[in-house]
Amino acid sequence: MTQTSLLPAHCRSCGSPVIWSIVARSGRRIPLDPAPAQPRATHVAHNPETGRCRILTNDDLQYVDGWVRNGVTVHRAHFGTCPQQARWSATTGEPA
């Protein structure tokens, strides 16, 4: 496992626990709600061994069961569930 997925973290806005992951395609960090979620487009497939994730598309949904059998977990991005999301800028990730 990578250090990224092992670090206990909390949202700076609402204090909720989050898992930090790195989006494989962009290299950007993304906070995830730790509770598992049902696979849906826009949810996130997180690989705890690598600390990387993929934002799911409709095309990905056919593969998710196999990924989950191999240790991948599915989560919601905390950006969409944070009760304080209006405080954050969509472009910078810094408090508005």
Side-chain angles (χ1 to χ4, degrees):
M1 284 193 184
T2 66
Q3 190 174 11
T4 301
S5 57
L6 291 175
L7 289 176
H10 292 85
C11 174
R12 290 189 299 176
S13 293
C14 73
S16 294
V18 296
I19 296 169
W20 282 101
S21 191
I22 299 169
V23 179
R25 194 169 270 195
S26 69
R28 294 189 71 167
R29 288 174 25 117
I30 184 172
L32 307 176
D33 290 339
Q38 292 297 315
R40 294 186 183 157
T42 74
H43 284 183
V44 180
H46 170 72
N47 185 332
E49 286 189 27
T50 65
R52 295 194 173 270
C53 66
R54 175 186 186 101
I55 299 169
L56 296 173
T57 65
N58 282 324
D59 291 338
D60 292 330
L61 296 178
Q62 63 185 320
Y63 305 109
V64 172
D65 287 340
W67 296 343
V68 168
R69 282 192 299 273
N70 287 298
V72 170
T73 55
V74 177
H75 303 271
R76 292 186 70 183
H78 187 66
F79 294 134
T81 63
C82 180
Q84 302 295 322
Q85 63 182 288
R87 292 182 57 204
W88 293 87
S89 164
T91 57
T92 65
E94 295 300 321

